[in-house]
Amino acid sequence: MVELRSSAHAVFRIHLHVVFVTKYRCKVLTQAMLEVMRSVLERVLAANRSVLIGFDGEPDHVHLLIDLQPDNNLSNLVSFLKSASSRILRQQFGELRRTGEKQSSGTILNPVAVHP
């Protein structure tokens, strides 16, 4: 049975597949970083009335499967996810700040694919 969500005037099921990659595909993400990232992403999504239903990561990229609330602005949501996870990871894992000159733009993760 397909689980549907509802709001005041709609019934919906919107799944969104998002892939974030590290800058220059550097292999910097550890298992501990992925666990922290998952909790940060879950909090950001909960604040936006969406749910993280799938998460998998490698040292250079992360896949997210999101059950999306239809009234979310997709570009803002992806921006919130990217900035919150990058900020928290940099605070908790100082070695991310020392990955070289390539990290000068200030972001760890870049979205490469968003598929509804």
Side-chain angles (χ1 to χ4, degrees):
M1 184 80 185
V2 175
E3 184 177 328
L4 300 174
R5 294 173 57 198
S6 62
S7 62
H9 301 285
V11 175
F12 56 90
R13 181 176 173 216
I14 304 169
H15 286 174
L16 182 68
H17 178 222
V18 179
V19 179
F20 286 124
V21 298
T22 58
K23 188 134 185 156
Y24 302 106
R25 296 293 294 234
C26 294
K27 297 183 183 303
V28 295
L29 298 174
T30 64
Q31 192 60 38
M33 291 177 189
L34 292 172
E35 291 170 10
V36 169
M37 184 184 297
R38 182 183 186 121
S39 68
V40 169
L41 297 172
E42 287 172 339
R43 285 189 308 229
V44 171
L45 289 169
N48 287 282
R49 298 185 324 265
S50 296
V51 180
L52 183 64
I53 56 176
F55 178 89
D56 191 25
E58 298 290 326
D60 65 345
H61 70 278
V62 176
H63 291 266
L64 313 174
L65 185 59
I66 300 168
D67 188 355
L68 187 67
Q69 179 78 14
D71 60 352
N72 279 327
N73 180 325
L74 186 56
S75 63
N76 285 347
L77 181 64
V78 171
S79 177
F80 294 154
L81 293 170
K82 178 181 169 180
S83 63
S85 60
S86 179
R87 184 179 59 252
I88 300 296
L89 286 175
R90 285 182 186 280
Q91 287 172 355
Q92 292 190 13
F93 300 95
E95 64 267 20
L96 289 175
R97 286 183 234 151
R98 292 181 265 121
T99 56
E101 303 79 35
K102 295 179 181 179
Q103 292 288 347
S104 62
S105 75
T107 60
I108 297 172
L109 302 172
N110 293 308
V112 292
V114 177
H115 299 285

